[in-house]
Amino acid sequence: MRLSWRAWPSSLFVRMALILLLGLLVAQGLSFWLQWGERATVVSQARGQNFADRMAEVVRALEATAPAERSAALATLPYGDWQVTLISENQVSQNPPRGPVGAMLSARLGSAREVRPLGGAAGMGMGMMHGNMPRGFDVRLQGGQWLRFSGARQLDTPALPRDLILRLAVTLMIVTAVVMLAVRQATQPLKQLAQAADTLGRDLDAPALAEEGPTETRRAAQAFNRMQARIKRLVNERSRALAAVSHDLRTPLTRLRLRAELVDDETLRDQMAADLDAMAAMIDATLDYLRGLQTSEAVRPIDINALLASMSEDALVLGRRISIQGQALAPYTGRLSALRRALQNLIDNAIKYGTCAHLRVDDDAGELRIMVEDEGPGIEPHELARVTEPYYRPDASRSSATGGVGLGLSIAKDIALLHGGDLVLTNRAQGGLCATLKLPRVAAAAA
């Protein structure tokens, strides 16, 4: 089955560490396997040579003894873990001579001897070279007498010494620590770059990245700093342009308003005044939106409960109905004027289309959520994602009747994004719209 990258952890640090550690474990396992095989071969060869030496001593002693006295001589010879008996011709193993034991025995005796492995151990002559000792052999003495060497048990390759296992474990831990350190050094610049990019989205005056470290890291930091400088320069130029446009547009509007007062036709004069008011409202709203994300307001702790209470009192003065349910558990770190503006836009929108506004506060350690609900007709589901776009109005006639130009929700969403959050619109089951201002506390604290 093909392994998908989606099954891997999302962290680049964890992915790189797993890949390197997996490669390390495979290499260590292969090295251990090769070392174990080499050890088994060496141990088997040593056992085979020791066994051949013992066989040669016994064979040499028995061949120097008269055939009639060999049974008595066997009782005086050392056999170790082996049993040595004289057998008849019809008891001899039918396995063909094979393996290195016969050659080693013949080399020690100075002349060839026929050696046959016992029973199912026909291949044990080679098995002795790969880790296991054979169970026995039949050896033909000079003169035709057969001698059987049989083992009580089959000996396996001894386990690795504890000191070798300890050294392997220590080596593995040291290499693992080095791998983790190397991966951390490789991924740390990416983490810093991501944090700087996130901070830049909230604060153009954030400190520049340190241009240090390897060549690739320095180049990335330099490119990011150049991008930040260009963005800041463009935003400052737009600020100056907006200030000039704001002044230049209001001057002719003021002159047109004065000239409209000189019109004798009262009906025409009222129509011209209404058009001028609409133009002024559109210009103010557009300039308000364009300058919305370039605020230089400082970030500070905000008492959300006191802010909502003051906005509720202001609404009562204007005869508006606002209810508040729930409360923030702790102050929120953000921009006071921007948040007040976003909440005011949401409240105005709820009152325009739903006659009242119900505020609900839901807070926890990770996120502050302020829901503004109304009792209006709501919004078509397919329009929910588009109504926060600038100048987009799903019902133009209704918006014009309420005096909006389609920027209130856009400004509120931009302010939410400025704080690292979002604005989510949903239709209520009982009717009306719910606008949820999501403000993450972690992102706000980082700002």
Side-chain angles (χ1 to χ4, degrees), residues 19 51 128 164 183 257 296 305 311 369 414:
I19 292 174
F51 178 56
M128 200 170 67
L164 178 58
V183 172
R257 195 182 301 276
S296 58
N305 300 321
M311 296 182 71
R369 293 170 294 277
D414 287 342

